[in-house]
Amino acid sequence: MRSSRGTALTAAALCVAVALICFVSARSFLAMRLPDPVAPAQGFERYNLSHWFPALKGSPGDSDVYIQDSGVPGGTVFIMGGTHPNEPSGYMAAVVYLERAKVTKGRLIVMPFANATAMGHNSPQEASPQYFSLDVDGGTRWFRYGSRATNPVYQWPAPDIYIHAQSGQKLDGGSKSNLNRAYPGVPDDSLTQQVAYGIIQLLNKEKVDLAFDLHEASPEYPVVNAIVAHNRAMELAAMVSMELEMAGIPMRLEPSPVNFRGLSHREWGDHSDALAILMETGNPSQGRLRGKTDAALAVTGKDKAYLKAAALGRLFIPYEGDQTLDLRTARHVTSMKMFMDMLGDVKEGGDVEVEGIPSFDDMMERGIGAFLSPVEDDRFDGK
Amino acid sequence: MEWFWPEGFYTLLMIGVFAFAAFVWDMPIAVAMAMAAITGAIAAGEGVPLRHQVEGEFGYVDTILIIATAMVFMKVIQRTGLLESIAAWVIRKFRGYPVLLSLGIMFIIMVPGMITGSSTAAVLTTGALVAPVMMELGVPMLQTAAAISMGALFGMIAPPISIPAMIIGAGVDIPYVGFGMPLLICTVPLAVICSLWLIYPYVRKPRDEASLEAQLAKMSRVPMSLRLFLTVIVLVVLLGGERTLPLYWPSLGMPLSFLLASASGLLSGVRWNPIETVTEAIDEALPVMGILMGVGMFIQIMTLTGVRGFVVVSALALPSWTLYLGIAISMPLFGAVSSFGSASVLGVPFLMALLGQNEIVVASALSLVASLGDLMPPTALAGIFAAQVVGEKNYFKVLRHCMLPALLTVCWGIAVILMAKPIAKLIF
Ligand SMILES: [Zn+2]
């Protein structure tokens, strides 16, 4: 290696270049912290997570929560997307409910972007797109594609090992920033642990009967196109799984593993009265086998590396060249609707009725954009 | 051909530009990596994606901080004379017991890696401590560096903390529980063999007593005292505290722990110039930090352009018996980028391809194979720092002496995977 010592001039020139690179890239990074505008359907009232856990007030983790109360006595359903903002069908399904639901019995609570700070950055070396767009009636809607982890700006450095506070279970240090390893949460620990704590408070104070945590998984991961249910929710989940099978939208049913702690489907069920359900659809844009990574991959799921992997028998979803966001979102939306329709059968007085939710076929035919409303979005002026 | 084009072409292009810039144009490795990344992005029609380049670099912020601060720590214990004093004491005490001495040295090298999960930490702390001992005892410089590199790798994989095993486990949702025995099975036999192979043959040879005694007297000119040991004590307390009492001890992180330990060297009673020491440390760590940033950029562009998927799926496409060959070759090779990267990018898919064996044993063995990435140029963290610790300018010379032990490590890793079921029966 040649070692060439520079001069004061080369040093100054390098400093200017570095400052320029920092300025330009920082603008791009900071822009991602602006929230995605949404258009809640009539009847939704906006709250923040700090409503249930005041310590979060003013913190970057104080995510928006929307409640629609039909005024007719019934159960309460909680829909949460955005635990992992690199799994877009999860939060898109929550947004479809937020923008279309008309609750006629019971109450519906929607928290579309659960880990708010994870929405605002990307994981290094994943080359994720920052945004993707969908065509809606009268315009284009932009959504961020975030990271699996809480933004390290608010929770750094990671410990060398993450010890789950209630069980002593050890995980790699990075998992401390994973909201779905943090439940039931700790009120005076890092941001992720506080957000988890806040969500448990919400579930309890609002007496939630049925709670969804919406995810995606890579197609090569064994738990994909799956419903993971807490043992109290197994009966209901089994009914729904059968119904989905008959409707031609198979979702494998998995019991919540008893020895793996910190996950929503286990701790929500153990620390509240809710029937806890986690659902996974197959998302090529987060997988380790994916090829070219961009916004198109997030929306279409078209990928030649996955096609080859499918031919090799490495995948746990049927894959014929694509896996659209429409399909993945429709799976979540339709499955949740079936859960709600059957909730009254297993929980007396727990009925929740919701109208206005598009059918699976409607979403596949017209795309989920057809069921979103146009919004003012000043992030993309002139773009 | 349909599979190869264009990602296979991008792969060759990026590797080609890197090799050309580094070896023909004689560019620093870091710059060559960045040039390869930019060329790949342009070829794939992404232009010069500034955001991706900067974001990729951030993947190594933590590693870079650890390297910089560990280097400061090493320079401080060198300057205070602690290193040489300890070396002289160990030699006087244990010279009569060569087997014990060889095994003991290997174990001492491994300890910081075992508790921090970082091979860099091992090389730059106890590796630096034992290097003068070994060389004074007659182990040639390059063998010394090779033994330190291998010990650091085994330490990184050995329990209680093995970050590659944790990364692979997290990728398939296995908590880091029950890994202790499998990781010991992966590392202990190799550590014993390497110490008897690289250290023992030299240590047992008799030496000219008079010249050795003169040398030892010179080395121990700073008398050993509790104050002199302060830096090491502070480091052990800070790092050890977090590991043993994780629920009560504040998580300072390794960089801050190294800095506080280094600062305590000011109270050691020996005069040393902090500014000069820190400048020298950063100056020596700078090329490696640069390489990591270049590598971060390179991985992000690989992911962006589909090269990463091409590499991973090509490895998975190997027929079943060559799958093991694929593991043996691709994981250390990809480790050129970083052993943690190899564990995450390749270790997880390989573990999924091997589901049905005992996952914990297989993940442990895969993490052992991934650790070899720390010997793979251009990053070769363990090799580079071991060369620096013994004062060898060209780290490739050190790597040459690591080749056979590394080969042995790969074979043992594959053997453990093949025997995963019986091993699991035995220990669980
Ligand atoms: Zn997820």
Side-chain angles (χ1 to χ4, degrees):
Chain A
M1 238 185 289
R2 185 179 53 189
S3 91
S4 45
R5 292 272 157 193
T7 62
L9 190 68
T10 54
L14 276 175
C15 285
V16 171
V18 168
L20 208 67
I21 288 170
C22 290
F23 180 74
V24 174
S25 52
R27 274 173 57 103
S28 154
F29 294 135
L30 289 175
M32 256 193 91
R33 296 199 200 162
L34 295 174
D36 300 299
V38 288
Q42 216 171 14
F44 273 111
E45 274 187 67
R46 206 190 95 171
Y47 297 83
N48 287 89
L49 192 55
S50 55
H51 181 75
W52 295 273
F53 178 40
L56 280 174
K57 196 156 189 74
S59 96
D62 197 5
S63 192
D64 292 342
V65 178
Y66 301 84
I67 300 183
Q68 190 180 146
D69 190 340
S70 65
V72 182
T76 299
V77 170
F78 175 64
I79 296 179
M80 188 173 98
T83 295
H84 295 148
N86 59 335
E87 301 169 2
S89 86
Y91 51 89
M92 290 316 300
V95 170
V96 168
Y97 271 87
L98 179 63
E99 303 200 355
R100 281 293 170 272
K102 183 173 187 313
V103 185
T104 52
K105 187 169 194 184
R107 290 193 311 158
L108 179 63
I109 307 178
V110 181
M111 184 178 188
F113 308 113
N115 193 349
T117 74
M119 291 295 301
H121 76 119
N122 295 112
S123 302
Q125 300 174 4
E126 289 297 324
S128 307
Q130 289 178 311
Y131 307 92
F132 61 89
S133 66
L134 297 170
D135 292 329
V136 305
D137 284 343
T140 305
R141 284 282 293 267
W142 291 86
F143 291 92
R144 290 171 295 169
Y145 186 103
S147 158
R148 187 175 172 81
T150 301
N151 192 333
V153 166
Y154 306 110
Q155 183 168 337
W156 185 85
D160 297 313
I161 28 170
Y162 161 48
I163 297 176
H164 180 248
Q166 287 77 12
S167 65
Q169 165 185 282
K170 288 178 189 164
L171 290 169
D172 66 297
S175 290
K176 190 162 187 189
S177 301
N178 180 346
L179 179 57
N180 202 26
R181 299 291 179 275
Y183 299 107
V186 182
D188 54 357
D189 197 356
S190 309
L191 186 61
T192 316
Q193 281 59 40
Q194 290 187 308
V195 170
Y197 183 83
I199 291 167
I200 296 285
Q201 303 311 302
L202 183 159
L203 292 175
N204 279 311
K205 288 185 189 151
E206 297 305 322
K207 299 192 168 50
V208 171
D209 296 293
L210 172 63
F212 297 100
D213 182 12
L214 304 176
H215 287 253
E216 298 203 78
S218 28
E220 72 274 20
Y221 184 68
V223 183
V224 60
N225 280 355
I227 300 170
V228 189
H230 186 266
N231 53 357
R232 284 192 292 108
M234 270 315 261
E235 186 192 352
L236 176 61
M239 287 157 52
V240 169
S241 176
M242 252 153 49
E243 197 81 4
L244 284 166
E245 185 82 46
M246 282 194 283
I249 318 165
M251 291 282 266
R252 261 188 293 268
L253 178 59
E254 307 262 349
S256 171
V258 279
N259 59 349
F260 197 11
R261 301 289 305 271
L263 290 99
S264 58
H265 48 73
R266 175 172 172 83
E267 310 290 350
W268 287 8
D270 284 358
H271 292 91
S272 81
D273 289 330
L275 300 175
I277 300 290
L278 179 148
M279 294 197 288
E280 305 263 14
T281 57
N283 171 22
S285 68
Q286 74 179 106
R288 284 181 165 79
L289 313 186
R290 69 178 185 272
K292 187 175 170 59
T293 305
D294 56 11
L297 179 61
V299 174
T300 65
K302 255 194 202 133
D303 186 83
K304 81 182 229 200
Y306 269 108
L307 199 56
K308 187 173 172 85
L312 294 168
R314 298 283 184 206
L315 306 187
F316 289 84
I317 58 168
Y319 186 82
E320 282 157 8
D322 65 9
Q323 195 73 192
T324 62
L325 185 58
D326 294 329
L327 166 68
R328 287 139 52 200
T329 307
R331 268 181 184 283
H332 278 321
V333 169
T334 310
S335 308
M336 286 194 286
K337 187 72 172 55
M338 285 189 185
F339 268 103
M340 288 185 226
D341 290 346
M342 296 186 189
L343 179 59
D345 300 344
V346 296
K347 203 149 189 174
E348 199 152 342
D351 304 66
V352 173
E353 281 168 18
V354 177
E355 292 172 0
I357 302 304
S359 75
F360 186 84
D361 292 336
D362 280 348
M363 284 181 275
M364 290 304 290
E365 210 165 286
R366 298 171 58 198
I368 53 169
F371 305 97
L372 300 175
S373 312
V375 294
E376 290 271 334
D377 191 345
D378 37 13
R379 295 176 300 173
F380 293 98
D381 277 346
K383 273 200 201 168
Chain B
M1 203 57 205
E2 210 180 314
W3 173 239
F4 181 83
W5 186 264
E7 291 83 1
F9 166 68
Y10 300 152
T11 312
L12 296 180
L13 180 72
M14 287 173 77
I15 294 172
V17 169
F18 167 73
F20 197 80
F23 304 121
V24 181
W25 286 348
D26 222 12
M27 291 281 180
I29 303 272
V31 178
M33 281 308 256
M35 286 170 68
I38 293 170
T39 311
I42 292 174
E46 301 286 345
V48 179
L50 198 60
R51 170 227 147 191
H52 284 296
Q53 290 171 262
V54 175
E55 196 172 280
E57 291 173 339
F58 268 90
Y60 291 120
V61 168
D62 295 28
T63 317
I64 285 173
L65 287 173
I66 291 170
I67 287 173
T69 52
M71 194 62 125
V72 169
F73 176 79
M74 187 193 92
K75 289 287 165 193
V76 170
I77 55 174
Q78 246 173 24
R79 296 248 172 160
T80 56
L82 175 66
L83 274 187
E84 292 194 317
S85 292
I86 292 185
W89 182 82
V90 171
I91 294 170
R92 285 211 172 97
K93 200 90 184 161
F94 292 103
R95 205 152 50 86
Y97 317 95
V99 174
L100 197 68
L101 188 59
S102 309
L103 294 176
I105 287 176
M106 187 50 92
F107 179 70
I108 293 173
I109 299 170
M110 287 171 67
V111 168
M114 293 163 71
I115 53 173
T116 64
S118 150
S119 66
T120 308
V123 174
L124 289 182
T125 56
T126 52
L129 270 169
V130 298
V133 178
M134 292 165 74
M135 291 195 282
E136 201 49 55
L137 281 169
V139 185
M141 187 164 80
L142 296 177
Q143 269 80 353
T144 301
I148 291 174
S149 319
M150 296 312 296
L153 294 194
F154 302 145
M156 168 167 90
I157 298 307
I161 305 293
S162 168
I163 293 176
M166 284 179 176
I167 291 174
I168 297 175
V172 281
D173 282 350
I174 339 178
Y176 187 66
V177 177
F179 277 81
M181 268 313 277
L183 289 171
L184 284 177
I185 291 173
C186 286
T187 50
V188 170
L190 290 167
V192 169
I193 292 172
C194 280
S195 74
L196 295 181
W197 177 5
L198 294 167
I199 307 172
Y200 176 71
Y202 306 99
V203 176
R204 59 183 271 255
K205 280 192 195 134
R207 302 250 309 159
D208 174 8
E209 285 298 321
S211 84
L212 182 63
E213 192 42 52
Q215 194 56 250
L216 289 179
K218 205 165 33 161
M219 283 169 70
S220 51
R221 65 184 182 281
V222 184
M224 292 232 276
S225 64
L226 206 60
R227 281 179 79 187
L228 190 59
F229 269 96
L230 196 61
T231 43
V232 175
I233 295 170
V234 171
L235 189 70
V236 168
V237 168
L238 289 179
L239 292 183
E242 192 184 334
R243 299 311 179 294
T244 45
L245 304 166
L247 291 178
Y248 310 100
W249 200 271
S251 170
L252 297 179
M254 264 195 267
L256 189 53
S257 304
F258 275 121
L259 284 184
L260 290 173
S262 306
S264 73
L266 290 168
L267 306 173
S268 67
V270 182
R271 288 183 147 279
W272 54 281
N273 182 337
I275 294 190
E276 205 181 284
T277 310
V278 171
T279 310
E280 185 185 306
I282 298 301
D283 207 37
E284 282 181 26
L286 209 52
V288 183
M289 300 196 277
I291 289 172
L292 281 174
M293 296 178 82
V295 166
M297 205 186 274
F298 191 87
I299 298 196
Q300 178 118 356
I301 303 296
M302 273 177 80
T303 313
L304 181 70
T305 56
V307 165
R308 184 176 122 178
F310 174 78
V311 171
V312 173
V313 177
S314 295
L316 283 181
L318 295 168
S320 60
W321 63 271
T322 43
L323 183 69
Y324 296 102
L325 200 65
I327 292 172
I329 295 172
S330 66
M331 285 189 79
L333 266 185
F334 197 89
V337 175
S338 96
S339 55
F340 295 173
S342 176
S344 162
V345 172
L346 286 169
V348 175
F350 277 133
L351 179 57
M352 284 175 172
L354 291 164
L355 283 181
Q357 317 275 359
N358 180 290
E359 285 88 15
I360 293 179
V361 177
V362 174
S364 305
L366 287 172
S367 68
L368 176 70
V369 179
S371 75
L372 291 170
D374 278 3
L375 292 176
M376 189 59 65
T379 45
L381 291 181
I384 287 184
F385 289 124
Q388 231 163 50
V389 160
V390 300
E392 167 60 57
K393 283 265 180 303
N394 184 353
Y395 71 93
F396 282 93
K397 286 191 187 160
V398 174
L399 295 182
R400 211 170 302 145
H401 287 272
C402 294
M403 290 270 277
L404 282 178
L407 198 64
L408 188 71
T409 305
V410 169
C411 294
W412 184 235
I414 301 293
V416 171
I417 294 175
L418 291 171
M419 298 184 300
K421 272 185 183 160
I423 290 178
K425 254 208 198 106
L426 205 67
I427 57 176
F428 291 121

